[in-house]
Amino acid sequence: MAVRCSIASCQGGSRAEMSRTFQCLDGIRTLAESGRFKAWFLDQFGVLHDGKKPYPGAISTLEKLAYHGAKMVIISNSSRRASTTINKLKSLGFDPSIFLGAITSGELTHRSLERRDDSWFAALGRSCIHMTWSDRGAISLEGLGLQVVSNVDDAEFIMAHGTEALGLPSGDVLPMNLEALEQILELCAKKKIPMVVANPDYVTVEARALRVMPGTLGAKYEKLGGEVKWMGKPDKVIYASAMAMAGVNACDCITVGDSLHHDIKGANAAGIASAFVTGGIHATELGLGGFGEVAGTDTVQSLACKFDAHPSYVLPAFTW
């Protein structure tokens, strides 16, 4: 079934009409068996698992997709490195060998800080305020030549890996709530230091609940007038990296994700097809209460238009 979405927008005082269509599917079998896409770029949270366990059918769906010759790459806005992401998938019961690899926003951030081969990172400085995780496990800055400071006056930039704690010069972390971290951002904004966000997501799915992600801090800092470097989706660089890993062009790949703003909008910007999984972070907005429930096409259409993010396909879940 195809649904047409018409969007009216004001540009230069005139109204422009854009038509978008998406096809509703109950699983990926038709796409996989058609061989239409050589490479599949898969989000993890909200698509393959909820952070605690795989979604029903996700593992067998990957196996069937591999059987049909698809190249699969994990693309994730996780602030952790690619190897950690693959190990996490293995611990949840996924077979790591089924993927060509993983590209995470955390990996892109680490490489950029390590290499400093563009002018923005070259000028960044070495001392930073480090916002990280506590219960989820702090993220190490080892090998990057950075100095973590706790005083804003001593900082040259902010490094946002998490939303639960402030990194200390000793290497320990000080648990801190979101409000306290935002108060530190207010001080940083007055000093006009830049911020690197290693996970652009605003929220993520965790065992059917939503957890606040570093993108929320980045959005707050921009509202305060701060400069933010967003690493990961929806920026095109993560899709370009995935295409390079799979050795494909934009016309030969599809991305599967549960975030309209990040996964689908990013795919639109990169010029690749996309499949929107409705049972992830947007489930409540779409009126869904349980796994595999089908969202109304009008509701999906309205939400896609709201985010100006337009999927090629819509799925209730990543199933065969």
Side-chain angles (χ1 to χ4, degrees), residues 110 112-116 121 124-128 140-149 156-157:
H110 187 93
S112 296
L113 287 168
E114 182 178 49
R115 298 172 183 174
R116 295 181 177 251
F121 278 97
L124 194 57
R126 297 284 176 176
S127 59
C128 67
S140 172
L141 300 178
E142 186 178 355
L144 295 176
L146 299 179
Q147 179 186 2
V148 175
V149 298
E156 295 173 289
F157 73 100

Side-chain angles (χ1 to χ4, degrees), residues 5 7 24 33 44-45 49 53 87 108 119 121 135 151 193 201 228 246-247 264-265 302:
C5 173
I7 307 166
C24 297
E33 292 182 344
Q44 50 168 343
F45 288 89
H49 62 81
K53 63 182 184 301
N87 288 336
L108 295 175
S119 58
F121 278 97
D135 294 341
N151 190 327
I193 60 175
D201 285 354
V228 177
I264 308 307
K265 201 176 186 80
S302 176

Side-chain angles (χ1 to χ4, degrees), residues 17-277:
E17 292 288 339
M18 297 181 295
S19 293
R20 307 277 184 166
T21 62
F22 59 80
Q23 185 177 356
C24 297
L25 304 173
D26 57 8
I28 69 163
R29 180 175 181 173
T30 302
L31 291 179
E33 292 182 344
S34 73
R36 167 70 181 81
F37 301 109
K38 297 177 182 177
W40 291 63
F41 304 151
L42 306 170
D43 186 29
Q44 50 168 343
F45 288 89
V47 174
L48 300 181
H49 62 81
D50 66 1
K52 301 295 183 182
K53 63 182 184 301
Y55 286 120
I59 291 176
S60 62
T61 299
L62 288 173
E63 292 171 347
K64 292 171 183 175
L65 193 53
Y67 175 79
H68 284 85
K71 299 177 179 180
M72 289 177 277
V73 179
I74 296 294
I75 58 169
S76 172
N77 272 354
S78 170
S79 50
R80 302 186 187 280
R81 300 196 63 185
S83 58
T84 303
T85 293
I86 291 296
N87 288 336
K88 170 74 171 180
L89 288 167
K90 183 178 180 180
S91 74
L92 292 175
F94 294 92
D95 178 4
S97 69
I98 216 165
F99 307 108
L100 290 179
I103 299 171
T104 67
S105 52
E107 185 69 35
L108 295 175
T109 302
H110 187 93
R111 290 178 188 173
S112 296
L113 287 168
E114 182 178 49
R115 298 172 183 174
R116 295 181 177 251
D117 53 5
D118 70 45
S119 58
W120 196 91
F121 278 97
L124 194 57
R126 297 284 176 176
S127 59
C128 67
I129 293 288
H130 188 207
M131 297 181 176
T132 186
W133 300 112
S134 139
D135 294 341
R136 291 168 65 94
I139 293 177
S140 172
L141 300 178
E142 186 178 355
L144 295 176
L146 299 179
Q147 179 186 2
V148 175
V149 298
S150 53
N151 190 327
V152 171
D153 290 336
D154 299 325
E156 295 173 289
F157 73 100
I158 311 153
M159 180 70 256
H161 274 121
T163 62
E164 294 177 341
L166 188 68
L168 300 176
S170 65
D172 295 328
V173 299
L174 177 65
M176 198 170 282
N177 62 29
L178 193 65
E179 183 180 359
L181 291 174
E182 289 180 342
Q183 289 173 353
I184 293 173
L185 290 182
E186 291 174 4
L187 298 175
C188 293
K190 291 177 182 177
K191 193 184 175 187
K192 300 185 183 302
I193 60 175
M195 179 182 198
V196 179
V197 176
N199 180 340
D201 285 354
Y202 302 130
V203 294
T204 194
V205 173
E206 187 166 284
R208 296 298 296 174
L210 294 181
R211 181 183 285 267
V212 176
M213 291 286 110
T216 296
L217 293 173
K220 171 69 174 181
Y221 200 56
E222 283 191 331
K223 287 182 180 178
L224 292 169
E227 178 186 4
V228 177
K229 187 72 167 179
W230 298 92
M231 304 297 294
K233 299 175 285 187
D235 192 273
K236 291 187 289 186
V237 66
I238 198 166
Y239 298 92
S241 298
M243 284 187 273
M245 180 178 284
V248 296
N249 297 318
C251 61
D252 295 322
C253 52
I254 183 171
T255 190
V256 183
D258 71 319
S259 169
L260 285 166
H261 176 75
H262 297 98
D263 300 304
I264 308 307
K265 201 176 186 80
N268 293 163
I272 66 177
S274 62
F276 171 45
V277 173

